Amino acid sequence: MDSSELKYWLGFSSFPGIGPLRFKLLLNYFGSAEKAWNAEVKTLLEIGLGEKLTQKFDHFRNTFLLDDYIRDLEKKEITVLTIKDKSYPKLLSQISDAPFLIYARGDLSVLNEVQPRIGVVGTRKITGYGEEVTRKITQGLVDAGVTIVSGMAYGVDTVAHQTAVENGGKTIAVLGCGVDIIHPRVNTTLYWQIIKKHGVVMSEFPMGMYADKGMFPARN
């Protein structure tokens, strides 16, 4: 995908009102994200985008500093993967509402490597026993060459990532916020350990977006 078209994929990714399915419809109708982004309001209404959403989108595209956003991505060394890219996670691309674009930091090869990947998730209010069991299970998986996938939230998620890191394994953190946002802040060291050596941190949400409880179901 050329940089000109990617620019508008990023634009739609940054607009909260258009998700994977709606973006796919726009892409099929207009043939490109650039044409959809620059479409007349009248046309957007005619294809059923809805008056309220069309007004929000028109305001967004006229005020959003897209070039500044792209420069910020480059400055923070954030990689962008569209669903058309070879590096996009193959398993993720197979779900019906796969994110059309994801943001990532770290070793992208972990996303499509041959070794198996298993999700280790659970309660945020972990007990001592829960932590012990999570560490034991995760260590066993790491020793078997499994990549650990979790959400870097409090509790089980954090313990799973930490155990993978401590045992020299690979791990993928799928965030419920922008990939440049460390949430919770207590996981700052863990976040950078994953990025620098032990895997990848990724998100479908735009850069700068903070975590909100409504975003976690989509992340999951």
Side-chain angles (χ1 to χ4, degrees):
M1 182 183 299
D2 61 49
S3 58
S4 176
E5 176 67 0
L6 177 59
K7 173 180 179 178
Y8 297 100
W9 280 61
L10 285 164
F12 279 110
S13 170
S14 302
F15 177 62
I18 294 180
L21 299 180
R22 191 168 272 142
F23 178 75
K24 186 177 181 180
L25 291 173
L26 288 171
L27 207 59
N28 289 338
Y29 183 86
F30 291 102
S32 74
E34 181 176 3
K35 289 180 179 178
W37 182 270
N38 294 311
E40 293 183 3
V41 169
K42 179 183 177 182
T43 306
L44 294 172
L45 290 171
E46 287 175 350
I47 64 173
L49 196 59
E51 186 173 348
K52 192 173 182 180
L53 183 58
T54 298
Q55 288 177 351
K56 287 183 177 180
F57 172 64
D58 190 43
H59 174 74
F60 178 83
R61 66 180 175 180
N62 288 320
T63 56
F64 185 61
L65 302 176
L66 191 46
D67 289 330
D68 287 354
Y69 184 76
I70 293 171
R71 280 192 287 270
D72 222 10
L73 284 170
E74 294 171 350
K75 182 179 179 182
K76 294 179 178 179
E77 298 182 331
I78 295 172
T79 300
V80 175
L81 298 175
T82 74
I83 198 167
K84 295 185 177 183
D85 291 326
K86 291 181 179 179
S87 297
Y88 188 97
K90 290 182 177 62
L91 288 175
L92 182 61
S93 69
Q94 294 171 14
I95 67 173
S96 60
D97 59 344
F100 59 87
L101 185 151
I102 58 176
Y103 302 84
R105 271 178 157 177
D107 181 8
L108 299 183
S109 68
V110 177
L111 298 176
N112 284 306
E113 60 189 3
V114 177
Q115 71 185 66
R117 294 170 293 279
I118 292 181
V120 179
V121 296
T123 181
R124 285 169 170 75
K125 298 179 180 179
I126 192 169
T127 62
Y129 173 73
E131 181 174 346
E132 180 183 347
V133 171
T134 301
R135 288 190 181 281
K136 186 175 182 178
I137 292 174
T138 304
Q139 184 173 345
L141 291 170
V142 170
D143 290 344
V146 173
T147 294
I148 304 301
V149 184
S150 199
M152 216 170 77
Y154 287 112
V156 170
D157 291 22
T158 292
V159 174
H161 288 304
Q162 285 176 337
T163 304
V165 168
E166 290 166 1
N167 288 276
K170 295 293 184 179
T171 186
I172 300 171
V174 186
L175 307 185
C177 56
V179 75
D180 59 325
I181 304 298
I182 302 175
H183 178 80
R185 296 297 298 179
V186 71
N187 280 341
T188 297
T189 298
L190 176 62
Y191 174 94
W192 289 110
Q193 286 176 326
I194 294 173
I195 289 173
K196 297 296 183 181
K197 187 177 180 180
H198 294 278
V200 65
V201 173
M202 59 181 282
S203 176
E204 67 181 283
F205 299 110
M207 182 178 59
M209 182 171 284
Y210 284 87
D212 180 86
K213 64 180 180 180
M215 295 159 66
F216 293 109
R219 183 276 303 274
N220 294 342

